[in-house]
Amino acid sequence: MATPNTNMLEGPLFKRMLVFSLPIMGMYILQLLFNTTDMVMVGRFSGSNALAAVGATGSLINLIIGLFMGLSVGITVTVAQDMGARKYKDVSETVHTSMVIGALAGIAVMIMGIAICRPILVAMGTPQNVIGLSETYMTIYFIAMPATMIYNFIAGILRAIGDSSTAMYFLLIAGVIHLIFNFIFVIGFHMSVAGVAIATVISEYIAAYLFIHKLLVAHDMIRLHLKKLRIHKDKMMEIIKIGLPAGMQSFLFSFSNVLIQSAVNSFGATMMAASAASSNVENYIGTPMTAYYNTAIAFTGQNFGAKKFDRIDRIAKICLLFIFATWILLGGFTLLFDKQIIGIFSTDNAVIKLGVLRLTVIIIAYFTNGVMNVFPGLTRAMGYSVSPMLATLIGACLFRIVWLLTIFTTVHTELILFICYPITWGLAGIFQLMIFFYARKKIRNNQREWVKTKLKTVS
C-alpha cells in the first residue's frame, strides 16, 4: 500500500498544514483562472455587455451546483476519518460509491442547469442587452457538469489520504488548454461568450480524464476498479450525512448571493461589469481560505478518526493564524493596487471606479469571511454538519435578506449594498466559532465517558 504524501497524525502541524494548503490554493487558483480568462477575453475583445453577461452567471452557477458539490465534503470527511482509523476497506468502498454518485449528480446538474437558467436570469432582473449572452454562456457551460463533479470528488479523495499536489498538476494542464482554446475561439473565431464557454467544457473533460486515470492506475486503497463500481448504502449515507448539510449551506449562501446579484443588476450593465470584476479579484483572495477549509477537513478528519483530539485544537489555532496572515498580506496588496487590478478587466473608467469601491469595502473586513468559511471544516470533520449550515442560514442568508428589504430599500446606493457582505460574514463567523467550541466540548465529553466505561469493564 502506498504511503500518503502527508502524515497528519504525528509530528509538527504548522509546516505540514502550510505545505498541504499550497497545492490546494494552486488548484483553486487554476479553476478561477478558467473564469478570469473568460472575463478578460470577453471584456477586452467583446465589450462590457459580454463581460457583464459572464459575470452575472457566477452566483447563479454556484447556486445550482452548490448543493451537489457539498457531497465532495462528505466524501473527504468519510475517507479521512477511515484513514485515521486505518479502515482501508471502507476507504475503497467510499471511492467506488463516490464515482457513481459523481456521475449521476453531474448529469442531474447539467439537465437542471440548462433547463432553468433562462427563467432564473429573468427573475434576477438581468437586463435585456445582457440576458441572451448570459443564457448562451450557461447553456454551454453546464455541459461540463459531469466532468466537473467527478474530478472535484476525486480531488477530495486525494486530499483525504494526504495528496494535495496531484489535483494542482492536473488543473494546470487543463488550464493551459483552456487558455489556448480561449484565444482560438474568442480572438480567432470571434465567438464571444460561446467561445469561452466551449473552451471551459473542453478543459473540464480533459481534467476529468486525468483524475479518473489517476485512480485507475493507483496501487493502494483508492484504486478504481470498474467492475466494483456500485453504491455501498452505508457509505452513501455517511457521505450524505456530512455532505448534504454542507451542500445546503453552499446552496443557501449562493441563494443569498443571487439576491445580491439581483440588486446589482438593478443598477445596470456598468454596475454589473464592475461588480463582476471586483468579485473575480475577491475570489483570488478567498482561494487561500478555501484551501485552509479543505486542509482543516483533511487534518481534523484523520485525527478525529484516530481519536487524537488534542491535535484538533492545534489545527484550529493554526487555521486562525493562516486566516489573519492571508488577510493582511493579500488584502493589503490588493488595496494598494486596486485601480490597476480592476483595470485588467475593463478600460471603462466608470467600471473601474465602482469596482474599486466594492473591492475596498470587501477587503477591509475580509478576515471575517475566512473565519466563516474555514471553521465549518473543522466542525464537519468532527461529525457535526447541520449546525454550520444553520449558522450560515441565520448569520448570512437571512440577515442579507433583511438588509436588502430594509436598509438597502431605504438607502438605494452601491455602498449600502456592498456593506452587506462584511456585516453578514462577521455575524456568521461568530456563530461558526461558537459551534466549533460546542462540538469540541461534546467530543471531549464523549471521550471521557468512553474512557470511564472501558475502565469499569476492565475492573
Side-chain angles (χ1 to χ4, degrees):
M1 182 185 69
T3 303
N5 291 2
T6 303
N7 183 350
M8 302 180 182
L9 301 177
E10 298 173 345
L13 283 166
F14 180 87
K15 183 178 179 179
R16 290 180 184 177
M17 287 178 64
L18 179 60
V19 171
F20 189 84
S21 296
L22 292 176
I24 303 177
M25 292 182 203
M27 172 186 167
Y28 283 110
I29 287 173
L30 289 168
Q31 286 181 316
L32 285 174
L33 283 172
F34 288 2
N35 186 250
T36 298
T37 54
D38 290 351
M39 293 178 65
V40 171
M41 284 290 181
V42 297
R44 288 283 182 173
F45 299 102
S46 301
S48 294
N49 284 345
L51 173 60
V54 175
T57 64
S59 58
L60 179 51
I61 289 172
N62 290 333
L63 172 70
I64 296 172
I65 71 174
L67 181 61
F68 293 91
M69 287 298 292
L71 295 175
S72 67
V73 177
I75 292 167
T76 304
V77 170
T78 302
V79 173
Q81 289 183 351
D82 288 339
M83 278 292 296
R86 301 185 183 278
K87 297 178 181 178
Y88 300 127
K89 181 176 180 293
D90 287 352
V91 172
S92 178
E93 290 180 354
T94 300
V95 169
H96 290 88
T97 300
S98 301
M99 292 303 95
V100 179
I101 294 175
L104 295 175
I107 294 170
V109 174
M110 178 181 67
I111 295 171
M112 181 171 59
I114 293 173
I116 69 174
C117 65
R118 174 82 184 192
I120 298 182
L121 286 168
V122 172
M124 290 170 62
T126 308
Q128 286 300 313
N129 60 334
V130 171
I131 192 169
L133 293 171
S134 293
E135 183 183 7
T136 298
Y137 179 79
M138 292 187 67
T139 300
I140 300 171
Y141 181 93
F142 274 104
I143 296 173
M145 283 303 104
T148 303
M149 289 291 167
I150 288 173
Y151 85 63
N152 275 286
F153 282 17
I154 296 175
I157 291 169
L158 295 176
R159 287 192 296 268
I161 68 165
D163 180 359
S164 63
S165 301
T166 297
M168 182 189 68
Y169 298 140
F170 289 166
L171 265 294
L172 177 60
I173 295 171
V176 171
I177 292 171
H178 180 268
L179 183 61
I180 292 171
F181 278 108
N182 261 345
F183 277 103
I184 293 173
F185 293 141
V186 178
I187 299 177
F189 297 145
H190 307 288
M191 295 176 66
S192 187
V193 297
V196 296
I198 294 171
T200 299
V201 171
I202 293 172
S203 60
E204 293 285 278
Y205 276 97
I206 289 173
Y209 168 77
L210 294 172
F211 277 98
I212 292 171
H213 183 264
K214 168 70 176 180
L215 294 192
L216 288 173
V217 300
H219 297 292
D220 54 19
M221 82 293 287
I222 67 166
R223 182 166 186 170
L224 182 64
H225 301 271
L226 298 180
K227 293 182 179 180
K228 294 182 179 180
L229 281 173
R230 70 181 183 89
I231 292 179
H232 296 267
K233 186 177 179 180
D234 58 332
K235 290 301 165 188
M236 181 180 70
M237 296 310 297
E238 288 180 30
I239 291 169
I240 291 175
K241 179 184 175 183
I242 300 296
L244 184 59
M248 283 299 299
Q249 177 178 326
S250 177
F251 173 84
L252 293 168
F253 194 74
S254 295
F255 178 73
S256 69
N257 284 335
V258 167
L259 294 179
I260 293 180
Q261 183 63 48
S262 298
V264 168
N265 294 351
S266 69
F267 289 98
T270 298
M271 174 65 160
M272 291 172 66
S275 186
S278 177
S279 177
N280 206 273
V281 177
E282 296 155 26
N283 287 337
Y284 281 95
I285 302 172
T287 293
M289 307 302 181
T290 305
Y292 305 148
Y293 168 73
N294 285 283
T295 299
I297 290 174
F299 275 77
T300 304
Q302 282 208 21
N303 281 281
F304 181 84
K307 300 188 184 301
K308 296 186 175 184
F309 302 130
D310 288 339
R311 289 175 67 84
I312 295 176
D313 289 346
R314 291 161 59 192
I315 292 168
K317 293 175 182 177
I318 292 170
C319 284
L320 272 177
L321 179 60
F322 286 170
I323 290 168
F324 278 92
T326 301
W327 170 56
I328 292 170
L329 294 175
L330 292 186
F333 176 85
T334 302
L335 290 179
L336 189 62
F337 298 101
D338 50 6
K339 292 181 180 179
Q340 294 87 339
I341 293 173
I342 297 296
I344 295 173
F345 297 88
S346 177
T347 56
D348 188 323
N349 288 331
V351 171
I352 294 173
K353 182 178 179 180
L354 279 174
V356 168
L357 175 62
R358 168 170 167 148
L359 201 58
T360 302
V361 172
I362 295 297
I363 297 302
I364 286 175
Y366 205 79
F367 70 92
T368 58
N369 177 280
V371 174
M372 178 191 71
N373 282 317
V374 174
F375 271 78
L378 290 106
T379 310
R380 287 198 173 95
M382 292 188 284
Y384 292 83
S385 194
V386 175
S387 299
M389 177 195 71
L390 294 176
T392 297
L393 172 62
I394 297 170
C397 305
L398 291 181
F399 195 81
R400 282 184 179 182
I401 294 173
V402 171
W403 183 276
L404 292 173
L405 293 177
T406 57
I407 298 175
F408 176 66
T409 301
T410 304
V411 186
H412 193 266
T413 66
E414 296 91 340
L415 179 61
I416 292 299
L417 178 60
F418 296 152
I419 289 175
C420 180
Y421 284 106
I423 289 178
T424 52
W425 290 341
L427 191 60
I430 292 171
F431 290 158
Q432 297 293 2
L433 284 172
M434 293 170 62
I435 291 168
F436 166 74
F437 284 111
Y438 169 80
R440 173 184 177 277
K441 182 178 179 181
K442 288 286 290 184
I443 64 169
R444 286 178 178 273
N445 289 340
N446 292 340
Q447 182 188 32
R448 294 189 190 99
E449 291 299 321
W450 180 81
V451 171
K452 289 180 182 178
T453 302
K454 292 289 290 183
L455 290 174
K456 287 181 181 178
T457 303
V458 172
S459 61

